């Protein structure tokens, strides 16, 4: 298997492999193009997002500065706001539902690395998809780790580090994020 095939199969892979690097380099270029657009050129921004993300719903806005590892692995539903300095390390898929708001300085990452020094010296990565449901508000300075699924009608408090799945209708916060309370779903 190639390193890219290993990555796509959810196996350990070498993150500085030539094929894997080419994907990241392409993302660096298009993110720079996106971030250089006039901040009020919403049509231009939408065009660049539609060309470079996996899928984009209606009423999607991502503030500058936006960075990602691929772009094609990001799938965004309708009515989405990604505030300033959003970083999505989408070596694997990131699915974002409808009516989602993400606060500034948030990191969503699908990639991790070995705990052992030898694994890190070999430039090993392991990636798992992230899923974010509908009607989710992610506060500022949040980190979402690989493999996490966030349910529907979830609020993640500012500064939280989400290391585990979050069930529907829940407010979580802290490091690591823990359930604070259930929240009402007033749209069902």
């Amino acid at each position: 298997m190639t390193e890219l095939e290993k990555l796509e199969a959810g196996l350990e892979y070498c993150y500085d492999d030539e094929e894997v690097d080419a994907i990241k380099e392409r993302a660096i270029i298009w993110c720079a193009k996106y971030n250089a657009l006039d901040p009020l050129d919403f049509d231009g921004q939408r065009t660049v997002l539609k060309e470079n993300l996996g899928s984009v719903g209606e009423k999607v806005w991502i503030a500058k500065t936006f960075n990602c590892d691929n772009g094609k692995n990001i799938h965004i539903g309708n009515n989405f706001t990604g505030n300033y300095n959003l970083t999505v390390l989408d070596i694997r898929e990131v699915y974002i539902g409808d009516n989602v708001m993400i606060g500034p300085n948030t990191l969503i990452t699908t990639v991790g690395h070995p705990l052992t020094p030898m694994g890190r010296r070999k430039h090993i990565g392991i990636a798992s998809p992230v899923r974010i449901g509908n009607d989710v508000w992610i506060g500022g300075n949040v980190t979402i780790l690989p493999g996490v699924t966030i349910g529907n009608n979830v609020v993640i408090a500012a500064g939280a580090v989400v290391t585990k799945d979050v069930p529907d209708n829940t407010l979580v916060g802290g490091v690591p994020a823990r359930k604070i309370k259930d929240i009402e779903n007033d749209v069902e």
Side-chain angles (χ1 to χ4, degrees), residues 75-134:
H75 302 276
I76 300 174
N78 297 317
N79 197 27
F80 173 80
T81 298
N83 215 318
Y84 302 102
N85 302 317
L86 174 60
T87 299
V88 182
L89 302 181
D90 65 315
I91 282 296
R92 287 292 307 267
E93 299 80 10
V94 175
Y95 301 98
I96 300 172
D98 296 333
N99 306 304
V100 174
M101 301 182 304
I102 298 180
N105 304 310
T106 290
L107 166 65
I108 300 169
T109 181
T110 64
V111 64
H113 303 283
L115 295 177
T116 65
M118 186 54 71
R120 294 190 306 272
R121 286 182 183 186
K122 291 180 180 178
H123 298 173
I124 299 297
I126 183 91
S128 301
V130 169
R131 291 171 175 77
I132 299 170
N134 298 320

Side-chain angles (χ1 to χ4, degrees), residues 16-31:
D16 65 358
D17 171 76
E18 198 171 291
E19 272 187 298
V20 176
D21 266 351
I23 292 168
K24 291 188 265 186
E25 288 168 2
R26 178 191 161 280
I28 289 168
I29 292 166
W30 85 257
C31 284

Side-chain angles (χ1 to χ4, degrees), residues 165-186:
D165 292 353
V166 179
D168 293 350
N169 306 309
T170 304
L171 167 65
V172 299
V175 180
R178 294 185 190 337
K179 180 178 177 177
I180 296 171
K181 67 178 190 174
D182 293 325
I183 56 176
E184 177 187 0
N185 186 342
D186 60 2

